[in-house]
Amino acid sequence: MHLFALLMLTLVANMFLLPARSQGQDWTRFRGPNGSGVSAVTTVPGQWTESDYNWKITLPGVGHSSPVAWKDRIYVMSADPDKATRYVICVNAGDGSILWNHEYPGVVHHKHDLNSFASCTPAVDDEHVYVAWSDPAHTLLKALDHAGNEAWTFDLGPWVSQHGFGTSPMLSDDLVVISKYHEDPKRADGGTPGESFIVALDRQTGKERWRTKRETDTTSYSVPCIRELASGEQELVSCSTAEGVFALDPQTGREK
């Protein structure tokens, strides 16, 4: 796995393995709570050396997936760069032992040289860890329980782009939300782009709750976040090359 991800695993372990659990913080999605990249934990040093690590492990494959954490478990994705086999890995935050590692056969396809077959950062809640990836025919969003058992799979259809897949799911109340932006046909690497959209699924069942069509331009990998208004209402805020910054109602998908 890339050195960055390896170092991040040791850093995350330090962040969440504190003497009292109440001092820690679950890191549930790309860039942490609501995508802010900000942690309330005050015990992580701004600089660190080997002596600061609780443990260090080597993971199979390579990937750009960032780790997420729930309680005493860390979840991350990786992939075989030659076979596109995806790994969904659960690590014990206490000692770095791998609790389970599920392998999913993949299809080798074109992507940017700096991309990987595991560029999705998972999302995690008290019941599931949510992971996603694509190949020329499918874009799969999967929910696994904390024991590694698959709960459901949702297929968003083909992902047509120059550079391959790279978006991540996020959670909003009882929904898991993910975006799918195709490449403009003039720039796409084969395939005919379908409809670009943001979709929200029921976390428990994987059933589609809403889908909102978006414009197609250059593939965008933006992960939405929640903005709370002074009125107490919430907005699901995202952006794309075609439309800039926009907001949707997180429960209905209607544009605000």
Side-chain angles (χ1 to χ4, degrees):
M1 171 161 279
H2 287 174
L3 179 60
F4 173 74
L6 183 61
L7 292 176
M8 280 298 293
L9 278 178
T10 61
L11 177 58
V12 168
N14 278 318
M15 288 177 65
F16 298 102
L17 279 177
L18 301 173
R21 175 67 192 140
S22 61
Q23 293 177 308
Q25 180 183 22
D26 294 317
W27 199 258
T28 58
R29 53 157 285 174
F30 177 66
R31 289 183 54 81
N34 202 28
S36 67
V38 177
S39 171
V41 175
T42 60
T43 56
V44 180
Q47 297 180 340
W48 60 90
T49 67
E50 292 278 342
S51 63
D52 294 308
Y53 297 161
N54 290 333
W55 46 260
K56 183 190 293 187
I57 61 173
T58 300
L59 299 177
V62 300
H64 296 108
S65 171
S66 297
V68 295
W70 185 269
K71 307 299 183 189
D72 60 350
R73 297 188 174 205
I74 295 171
Y75 300 94
V76 70
M77 282 188 63
S78 185
D80 184 315
D82 299 317
K83 299 179 180 179
T85 300
R86 274 82 176 193
Y87 309 110
V88 181
I89 304 167
C90 175
V91 180
N92 184 316
D95 59 15
S97 59
I98 294 180
L99 300 177
W100 48 262
N101 176 7
H102 289 335
E103 298 186 13
Y104 293 90
V107 177
V108 176
H109 58 83
H110 173 79
K111 59 176 179 56
H112 194 283
D113 289 344
L114 298 180
N115 198 357
S116 75
F117 293 116
S119 291
C120 166
T121 293
V124 62
D125 60 21
D126 60 337
E127 294 192 42
H128 299 124
V129 56
Y130 307 89
V131 294
W133 60 79
S134 76
D135 61 35
H138 306 280
T139 303
L140 301 180
L141 175 62
K142 290 181 177 287
L144 288 75
D145 67 22
H146 289 279
N149 302 305
E150 192 168 310
W152 52 260
T153 298
F154 186 87
D155 191 346
L156 287 76
W159 180 283
V160 178
S161 72
Q162 291 187 77
H163 301 318
F165 186 76
T167 196
S168 301
M170 58 83 69
L171 305 174
S172 175
D173 293 327
D174 58 343
L175 303 175
V176 54
V177 179
I178 193 167
S179 58
K180 180 186 178 187
Y181 289 102
H182 287 291
E183 195 82 38
D184 182 278
K186 296 187 293 294
R187 293 186 295 269
D189 184 66
T192 301
E195 184 178 275
S196 295
F197 56 83
I198 296 179
V199 64
L201 311 178
D202 185 290
R203 289 199 210 184
Q204 292 288 327
T205 65
K207 300 297 183 184
E208 184 173 322
R209 294 271 287 274
W210 56 258
R211 179 184 298 218
T212 300
K213 182 180 178 180
R214 308 314 302 173
E215 297 300 319
T216 294
D217 192 302
T218 302
T219 301
S220 300
Y221 303 103
S222 174
V223 182
C225 64
I226 295 293
R227 176 175 180 250
E228 187 164 324
L229 306 180
S231 64
E233 290 184 280
Q234 291 186 334
E235 295 179 335
L236 186 76
V237 179
S238 191
C239 63
S240 72
T241 307
E243 298 172 291
V245 180
F246 58 88
L248 307 177
D249 184 312
Q251 285 300 312
T252 66
R254 289 194 293 268
E255 191 156 330
K256 302 286 273 187

